[in-house]
Amino acid sequence: MKINGKAWRTIWLEQNGAYVGVIDQRKLPHKLAKHYIYNHHDAAEAIQKMIVRGAPLIGVTAAYGLMLALQKDPSDQSLESAFSELIATRPTAINLQWSLKRVSKLVKSLPLAKRAKAAQKEADAIAEEDVLMCEAIGDHGLEVLKKLSKDKPLEMRNKPLNILTHCNAGWLATVDWGTALAPIYKAHRAGLKIHVWVDETRPRNQGSSLTAYELGCEGVPYTVIVDNAGGHLMQKGLVDVIIVGSDRTTSRGDVCNKIGTYLKALAAKDNSVPFYVALPSSTIDWLIIDGLNEIPIENRSSSEVLRIEGKLDNGEVREIQLCPDSSNGFNPAFDVTPNRLISGLITEKGISPASKLGLSQLYKNE
Ligand code: MRU
């Protein structure tokens, strides 16, 4: 996608793969800065500190982390130690283990001298596949949005289709295009009249910082709302559809995504607003069924709740304290939306009901 007319991806190779460049997402929206990853410790740090974030991008970064480790030392011991360090960075998004396992399984069978190049090729393939999957999600999601626009009551037809999204499931969370935002970009480019309600997504504000930034760059009309406004907007008929991303989807279609997603799904059910989840197959954990009991939820630092960062009028970016000095904070980063609250899963293969049967039919040959 483009920033100021220039095409960007979130991650790229420098010097033929000697090191890796990424967009430093901690600095957005106030500054567009590059960050460089020279070894697997840097890759682990970038994931842990959320310099890069979003399930698909975490997976790709980890794959390149293994490549960097094997460039320095292609031994089994080096592979295992880099694997352990990278997998421990964030527990919830399944893409992390999926991509680490994919690269390490491939290189283990190779002679030492071939491992680093093979890891590079596989990490490149994971990145390219992610772009293709996200674009296909965009195409399938566009059909959903077109249908919803067409089915609007006659008197509402010239009004924009109001889409609500939570967190950032845009191109910054992937390599390019995004998941939940891909259908939105496709719809905007196809000339569909749309408007996006952007949940700010406390505590790290991925909505108000990253989603708002992305939509602004693409010229998509949007409005930032506080996380608690969604239910009210739905009651007032101001939300036509919700599309969110996923960090891990179980084999029966339960979806784990950024904290607050579940409350949006509940309000959507109560107000008959369609609630879609957009995800590539790399986000499906086929080995688990029950999202609530089987997905580990990351608990992050309480300081993310108790403090907040923003730009002062003089342009300086500062972090400030929000709560009384002695406050405790609790910061679970994700929640689980049960499949019964989900209208459909928008995948690279098409739209599936959020059910074991739906997913297994869509992916029956894999
Ligand atoms: O904590 P984050 O910012 O990594 O969480 C990201 C999300 O929850 C996204 O919605 C999810 O990864 C899907 S992104 C394509």
Side-chain angles (χ1 to χ4, degrees), residues 25 47 50 52-58 90 93 95 130 134 166-174 178-181 201 204 206 210 244-248 256-259 261 278-280 283 298 300 333-334:
Q25 302 199 18
I47 297 169
M50 294 177 68
V52 293
R53 26 71 50 204
L57 181 56
I58 292 171
R90 296 194 73 189
N95 305 59
D130 188 61
C134 286
H166 190 66
C167 192
N168 173 261
W171 71 270
L172 289 167
T174 64
T179 57
L181 295 196
T201 320
R204 284 191 70 107
Q206 289 95 328
L210 305 175
V244 298
S246 169
D247 287 86
R248 198 186 292 217
C256 184
N257 190 49
K258 180 56 54 196
I259 193 80
T261 302
L279 60 124
T283 305
E298 175 182 14
R300 295 189 61 85
F334 300 94

Side-chain angles (χ1 to χ4, degrees), residues 164 166 199 227 230-231 234 242 260-268 275:
L164 185 144
H166 190 66
D199 279 354
D227 294 321
M234 288 182 232
I242 298 176
T261 302
Y262 169 57
L263 287 177
K264 292 294 130 71
L266 279 178
F275 183 93

Side-chain angles (χ1 to χ4, degrees), residues 13-310:
L13 293 182
E14 295 275 358
Q15 304 284 338
N16 294 323
Y19 59 102
V20 176
V22 295
I23 294 176
D24 187 341
Q25 302 199 18
R26 298 168 307 177
K27 306 254 166 69
L28 289 172
H30 307 303
K31 192 172 171 201
L32 175 62
K34 293 176 183 169
H35 175 88
Y36 295 104
I37 294 172
Y38 297 98
N39 53 51
H40 72 276
H41 304 300
D42 292 346
E45 184 190 45
I47 297 169
Q48 216 286 319
K49 292 192 171 161
M50 294 177 68
I51 295 166
V52 293
R53 26 71 50 204
L57 181 56
I58 292 171
V60 174
T61 308
Y64 282 125
L66 280 190
M67 169 196 82
L68 293 168
L70 293 167
Q71 284 172 358
K72 291 212 165 50
D73 174 358
S75 68
D76 281 355
Q77 200 187 15
S78 151
L79 178 66
E80 274 155 33
S81 131
F83 186 104
S84 312
E85 186 172 335
L86 287 160
I87 208 165
T89 49
R90 296 194 73 189
T92 302
I94 190 68
N95 305 59
L96 180 63
Q97 27 171 311
W98 170 81
S99 66
L100 285 170
K101 282 179 186 162
R102 181 166 154 178
V103 174
S104 63
K105 188 170 166 219
L106 176 95
V107 298
K108 259 184 193 154
S109 61
L110 298 175
L112 298 191
K114 296 207 163 153
R115 285 183 171 183
K117 269 282 161 243
Q120 179 168 336
K121 211 167 145 212
E122 196 65 2
D124 284 346
I126 292 173
E128 292 306 321
E129 283 167 26
D130 188 61
V131 178
L132 292 178
M133 287 195 287
C134 286
E135 181 161 14
I137 286 170
D139 291 330
H140 295 301
L142 170 62
E143 296 309 313
V144 174
L145 298 182
K146 275 186 182 163
K147 183 162 186 339
L148 287 167
S149 292
K150 206 169 112 262
D151 292 349
K152 277 182 129 194
L154 215 54
E155 66 279 12
M156 301 294 284
R157 291 268 170 87
N158 60 350
K159 298 250 175 355
L161 187 78
N162 281 304
I163 306 160
L164 185 144
T165 192
H166 190 66
C167 192
N168 173 261
W171 71 270
L172 289 167
T174 64
V175 178
D176 206 350
W177 282 105
T179 57
L181 295 196
I184 289 171
Y185 293 134
K186 290 275 180 175
H188 183 63
R189 290 182 185 187
L192 227 65
K193 216 167 166 191
I194 55 169
H195 164 263
V196 184
W197 295 112
V198 176
D199 279 354
E200 63 174 346
T201 320
R202 276 287 286 153
R204 284 191 70 107
N205 295 316
Q206 289 95 328
S208 53
S209 57
L210 305 175
T211 299
Y213 178 79
E214 278 192 28
L215 293 174
C217 287
E218 284 290 315
V220 180
Y222 71 89
T223 307
V224 177
I225 50 173
V226 296
D227 294 321
N228 291 329
H232 168 72
L233 295 181
M234 288 182 232
Q235 287 174 320
K236 291 288 180 188
L238 295 171
V239 181
D240 296 305
V241 58
I242 298 176
I243 314 180
V244 298
S246 169
D247 287 86
R248 198 186 292 217
T249 302
T250 72
S251 57
R252 72 172 182 201
D254 293 347
V255 165
C256 184
N257 190 49
K258 180 56 54 196
I259 193 80
T261 302
Y262 169 57
L263 287 177
K264 292 294 130 71
L266 279 178
K269 189 77 168 178
D270 195 42
N271 292 282
S272 303
V273 172
F275 183 93
Y276 284 94
V277 182
L279 60 124
S281 51
S282 55
T283 305
I284 303 171
D285 187 343
W286 295 104
L287 300 177
I288 62 169
I289 299 164
D290 173 357
L292 200 53
N293 289 304
E294 294 183 88
I295 300 179
I297 300 293
E298 175 182 14
N299 286 316
R300 295 189 61 85
S301 164
S302 62
S303 72
E304 292 181 351
V305 176
L306 304 174
R307 304 177 69 81
I308 198 163
E309 190 184 87

